[in-house]
Amino acid sequence: MSGGGAGKVYFVLYLAVVLELLIIIVERDEAEEHLHAKQKETMKIVQSILSQLQAGSGTEGINTRPQDEITIPPSGIDFKEVMGTDIKTSRKYVIEVGVTDVASDLKKKEGETPDEFNERLHKLIRLANVQELEYQIFFNPSKDPLNPPTFPSEKYFDENNIEVMKMNPGDKMETTNGEVWTFKGAKKLVMDIEPTFNKVNKDKLKSDPLDPVYKAPIIVGEKFVPSEIKEDSTFYFSSNRVIDADGKSVVKNGKEDSKLKRAFVVYFEPPAEEGWYKLRFYSKTNRILGIAADAKAEELTDNMTVNIGTVQLKVKDLQKVSKELEIELDKFKLPKQSDLLASADGSDNFDDMIEASKKLAEDELDYIQVSTKIELYGYIIRLLTPGKSVYFPQNSNSIEFDIRVLTPQPKIADAVIAMADEINYFDALPPTFKMSLSPYQGDQTINKLNITAESASGEVYTKSDFDIQLEKSYRDKTLKVGEQVEYVIKFKNNLPPVNGDVKSYDLTVEYNSGNSEQSKSYKKGRLNLFKTKDDENIKTLQGRIFFYSGEPFRYNFTPTSGGKIPASQFRSYIHLDGSQKIDSIVGLNTEKAEWLLHCNNKSYDYWVNWIDPVTNKKIEVFPRKTYEIPLEKPYIDVSGMSISNPIGEKSFTINIKGITALAPSVFDSKNCSLILSADEEVVIVNNSPTLKNIKASISLEGEEIQLKLRTTGTPVKGIIQGDITLRIKIIARQSDGLISVSEEEIFVPIYKKIENKNQLGF
């Protein structure tokens, strides 16, 4: 805790009162004959008085217990039954922060307007309370029973610009002797000035405690909340506790009301982690109130005031002093108020400029006096710059204390390992599986676990080849020593690809619940590693996938793992062209999915993934491929075909009837229509009688196909026989434009006896 003490505080306030009197003298003397000389003399006195304000913090600081010890009983142990007494694992601490005694200034001054009184009352309420209080928690795992590790100094925090409320849980701080503290969490209370002002009873200011109203705490990291305390009651302002310098309770605003302190209550319960906790409290008060942060530097008025304790100083008087110093110290390149305004956070850059000015004055004969004036100039500029007075050391303070946490070690139960006898995995991913262990032994659990994997060919993997982590659901809760916990075991790298269908590894796990061979437990299992994709087999299977438009997609893929890996770990997918949606089902058999290949779809993509049940990672076991959707061909039925060949004098005609064209048995009749037509071109494939000048025609009426052959030639006499083969095409066309074509060869036998030479012959 910073020094200074109560004596210095009241000495500073006394000097501020003297300064106020001297300023009155300046104003009076301005009307007199020797104005300039008198101002010079007064400025020297003012500078001397203000220089006293730079000396040290001057706050009364924060007080609480300096050191404590907490014993956390092991999980599952009835400590009262074992020891005959109960132990308290949480603590309540009262933090006391010194503030300014404003009791004698609460009366309205003679000639003071209501607005002026309200403005002054605002400042008095701020002076009488703690503006901000941070409660910070750090941890070091040292087992030293007597001496806590060295903690970073206040200088360390200042030089490294450490803002604890911006730290992340787990951040480290290392001292010069190498001791490391881990940031665990923090809470911050900030006074809400307007609600505080509004609740004050202005008619009974003498008896009103001027208690503050604080905003909801800002919380970072772990909360360390005792189980029996509500979360919103672990860090709060206590309106019932006001004490004097000797630590005794006093009546608020009474005659013994001096040196008031504000009290805050903190509840703390550490986890079962042995070591030292550092509880650090950092406060911001309002002993020195400069220009408010929401004011503009260029718009300050002469009547504005700043407070040093309860003493008010006018802006115009401080500006006179600063201007005088600027003239006197011009050659030392003093920084301007604009330089301080440019300091985004605090006044570090401005402080560096002040130091640079002091360095320029090192060769001056009266260096000590000059450097003091330069510091005084900087002090006044901070008072006059909006929002910068909060960085005065008189307005902040901190205290820290140590808590040692002990965790007695109970007798550990026998070790138990729970792991599947057989683990089946694909070789595209590093094998990962779960394992339950009990009893849980905190950080020592993994240290007491050993695991190996060995193949039949002699490959050996040891503990260093595995990544061992708590299963996700256990990471965010407080684990108790002795309970059963689940771990995820993962090979750090992929195992060599499988050449055949499967490669097996023998797993051996051992876990020690104590420190001897007798307390070890063993578990054996087998890891079966399957080839992810058999490319030749995949190619064959893909070639067999064929479905017509309007037909449901029904396919059952069998992976290389056969039935070893449950179908529930697979996902089958289909994506129809033109659709924004990818449909999927759990499993390998799509029969129940009712994936209809609609008439408006020309193609679809189909593939299968395996999803690792531990990591949720996906791998493709049946590759994605695009498949066309054809229309089933129409059917040509020739079973009822009949042939007639009447002979005429001018022509020879063959009529073929009884052929039927049938529509495809499968098509999307719900969404599309279908039309059958005959190709007008009839191809004569064979003409053994060598008929000349043959012409063939075809017609389709409904489902009936009619063919005609007509020929002309020279009349002959005799018997003509042979055959003609015709090829016809029937076309099925859906309304979406998709077509399919069926071809059929029609065999037409010819046998004819020509007796009259006038008949048309062959």
Side-chain angles (χ1 to χ4, degrees), residues 94 119 193 244 276 357 407 462 520 542 571 595 610 643:
V94 177
E119 181 182 351
I193 182 61
D244 63 12
W276 287 89
S357 297
T407 307
T462 62
K520 284 184 179 179
Q542 287 177 332
R571 298 291 185 276
W595 288 339
W610 175 67
I643 301 172

Side-chain angles (χ1 to χ4, degrees), residues 29 82 103 158 165 216 316 361 482 522 589 626 647 670 711-712:
D29 288 349
V82 175
D158 292 338
M165 296 304 295
K316 69 175 182 179
Y522 296 87
N589 192 339
T626 301
I647 297 173
K670 182 178 179 180
T711 182
T712 59

Side-chain angles (χ1 to χ4, degrees), residues 133-135 165 186-189 218-219 223 225 234-235:
L133 182 63
E134 291 181 20
Y135 161 36
M165 296 304 295
K187 298 179 183 180
K188 181 178 181 179
L189 290 175
I218 302 169
I219 301 174
K223 300 176 182 178
V225 179
T234 58
F235 179 41

Side-chain angles (χ1 to χ4, degrees), residues 140-144 147-152 175 177 179-181 275-278 402:
N140 183 291
S142 170
K143 300 298 188 292
D144 189 325
N147 304 304
T150 305
F151 190 72
T175 61
N177 58 358
E179 292 177 308
V180 178
W181 287 85
W276 287 89
Y277 280 87
K278 178 76 70 174
D402 303 293

Side-chain angles (χ1 to χ4, degrees), residues 476-527:
D476 299 327
K477 64 181 182 180
T478 302
L479 300 178
K480 298 179 180 179
V481 173
E483 69 177 320
Q484 184 182 55
V485 294
E486 193 169 40
Y487 284 88
V488 174
I489 315 296
K490 177 183 177 182
F491 282 82
K492 291 181 178 178
N493 300 296
N494 282 53
L495 296 180
V498 176
N499 291 324
D501 288 334
V502 63
K503 184 175 182 179
S504 297
Y505 296 81
D506 290 325
L507 296 173
T508 303
V509 181
E510 64 177 54
Y511 180 52
N512 196 341
S513 62
N515 298 305
S516 65
E517 289 295 319
Q518 290 74 21
S519 56
K520 284 184 179 179
S521 180
Y522 296 87
K523 173 70 176 177
K524 290 187 177 293
R526 169 161 291 195
L527 168 66

